[in-house]
Amino acid sequence: MFAAMRSFGMEAVHLFSDAATGLEAIIAIHNTRLGPALGGCRYQPYGSLDLALADAMRLARGMSYKAALAGLPHGGGKTVILRPPHVDDRAALFEAYGRAIESLRGRYITAMDSGTSNQDMDCIAQHTGHVTSTTAAGDPSPHTALGVLAGIRAAARAQLGSDSLDGVRICVQGAGNVGSALVAMLAAEGADVLVADLDTGKVHLLVDEYGGQPVAPDAVFETPCDIFAPCGLGGVLNHDSIMQLRCAVVAGAANNQLADPEAANALDARGILYAPDYVINAGGLLHVALTHQQTSPGEIAERVKGIGQRLDMIFADSQAESRSPSVIADRQAEAILYPEQG
Ligand code: NAD
């Protein structure tokens, strides 16, 4: 366990169990140098405790990098709650989790993630103030989409010579909470939007409302476009899919888009500009963190749009050094997180 913690660079891993409600939770705290750890709470079944621990630590580390480059006074943390096969009282389970968070006295702030809802956060909020993305705070997805739009503009500036999206052909993979908001924004910019989702009903609703064309989910990679925006699941950029791509830019919301570190080099080798996922998709985190700090909506929107300037700098360094933007982003985040190593 300690070797695994060292390999992820973790500060602490807390385990909580509450027999009365069936709660079994792992709270992984990666780094609190910049401020309290902030990160979502996953609620899903895991094949083993080791898998759950590894997921929590990997995700917590990712949050540290994301918060550092978003300029937030937060470190990275993540909770994994092992979803039992049956739960009598979901509200009671999340209340017990709220008490667990309170016992950490502000070192970790929790938020919504896969398998949890605003209503779950409301249950947690009955026992601790260290929770965000409650019903009152709202859905972060439109803010994520706004940041992705700013990132797409930055990528267009760097790779297409102009940040006007008028007539630019953009293929959005995944028409969920973020993807559908992004499609609406791109259509308003005059982009020529293509949309793919496993759920064709979602695609048709969007195309009816905003125009654009549906694309079959298995044809997204080979569909010619200027910008490919992955907004579905992670791991979509692997050797095979990258070889099929017929675009100049990859810039989208999905977490962990690169199937492995080699994928960044493969994109580079094909001359495709890649916007590092944890930089371009930080709009939701900015919204969650800044809402918690009671920042005004106008200021939050400005901070989210600032994702474009962060990417301008990453793309400039990437070009100057002939290195992948993903290597540059990691290096910039590590310089903030570990200044003593600089
Ligand atoms: P969501 O579940 O609402 O939507 C995902 C959509 O992708 C679904 O409609 C699903 O049918 C579709 N999809 C899945 N696999 C697909 C495939 N192979 N081809 C086409 N469509 C496919 O999720 P979301 O909240 O919109 O988030 C989208 C991505 O962005 C996720 O990777 C998420 O981790 C990441 N992200 C989301 C936020 C946020 O604020 N919601 C913030 C940061 C990152």
Side-chain angles (χ1 to χ4, degrees):
M1 180 65 199
F2 288 110
M5 283 180 69
R6 269 194 300 279
S7 79
F8 283 104
M10 304 302 297
E11 268 181 26
V13 176
H14 301 269
L15 302 183
F16 291 93
S17 162
D18 182 65
T21 59
L23 174 76
E24 289 183 347
I26 302 162
I27 300 181
I29 296 178
H30 177 257
N31 190 308
T32 55
R33 180 192 285 268
L34 300 173
L38 171 61
C41 166
R42 292 209 163 171
Y43 182 55
Q44 59 191 50
Y46 280 86
S48 72
L49 180 62
D50 281 352
L51 287 175
L53 281 164
D55 208 26
M57 291 193 275
R58 181 180 59 82
L59 292 164
R61 181 179 59 184
M63 291 306 296
S64 285
Y65 280 58
K66 191 184 282 204
L69 284 198
L72 285 167
H74 285 290
K78 206 82 173 186
T79 297
V80 162
I81 299 183
L82 288 85
R83 186 181 196 134
H86 168 78
V87 63
D88 284 330
D89 187 343
R90 181 175 173 124
L93 184 142
F94 279 95
E95 285 191 38
Y97 170 53
R99 289 191 291 275
I101 292 170
E102 182 60 17
S103 74
L104 298 177
R105 290 181 296 191
R107 197 154 171 236
Y108 166 69
I109 302 166
T110 200
M112 212 174 102
D113 205 314
S114 307
T116 55
S117 65
N118 298 117
Q119 289 75 23
D120 296 327
M121 300 304 119
D122 292 347
C123 295
I124 296 163
Q126 291 179 35
H127 298 277
T128 183
H130 308 300
V131 55
T132 69
S133 52
T134 54
T135 310
D139 179 7
S141 307
H143 305 272
T144 303
L146 187 66
V148 173
L149 179 69
I152 284 178
R153 278 191 199 290
R157 267 194 296 278
Q159 187 82 335
L160 309 177
S162 160
D163 62 8
S164 166
L165 300 179
D166 194 15
V168 175
R169 199 170 159 84
I170 304 178
C171 180
V172 179
Q173 179 192 39
N177 294 324
V178 180
S180 58
L182 180 64
V183 166
M185 291 172 190
L186 293 173
E189 298 288 323
D192 179 7
V193 186
L194 307 165
V195 197
D197 199 291
L198 300 176
D199 180 343
T200 49
K202 287 184 181 175
V203 174
H204 287 114
L205 276 177
L206 279 176
V207 169
D208 286 350
E209 188 159 359
Y210 302 108
Q213 293 169 52
V215 174
D218 56 1
V220 276
F221 301 116
E222 68 203 39
T223 298
C225 58
D226 298 302
I227 299 174
F228 172 55
C231 297
L233 297 182
V236 291
L237 300 170
N238 56 40
H239 178 268
D240 291 348
S241 62
I242 290 168
M243 287 304 139
Q244 290 174 51
L245 284 174
R246 296 172 71 192
C247 62
V249 169
V250 174
N255 275 317
N256 305 318
Q257 291 170 33
L258 303 172
D260 52 56
E262 229 356 85
N265 297 331
L267 285 163
D268 243 22
R270 288 216 48 216
I272 297 171
L273 183 68
Y274 170 65
D277 48 16
Y278 66 84
V279 182
I280 193 171
N281 73 14
L285 174 66
L286 278 160
H287 173 258
V288 157
L290 296 174
T291 305
H292 193 62
Q293 291 166 24
Q294 292 168 357
T295 306
S296 72
E299 200 181 319
I300 295 176
E302 284 311 307
R303 290 285 300 274
V304 171
K305 288 181 196 157
I307 287 172
Q309 280 104 58
R310 168 62 72 179
L311 283 167
D312 286 339
M313 291 189 285
I314 290 172
F315 293 147
D317 285 2
S318 161
Q319 196 182 21
E321 297 180 32
S322 301
R323 282 167 177 251
S324 154
S326 122
V327 171
I328 303 290
D330 284 356
R331 191 182 67 197
Q332 290 186 359
E334 283 157 12
I336 296 168
L337 290 168
Y338 311 110
E340 71 283 357
Q341 293 174 8

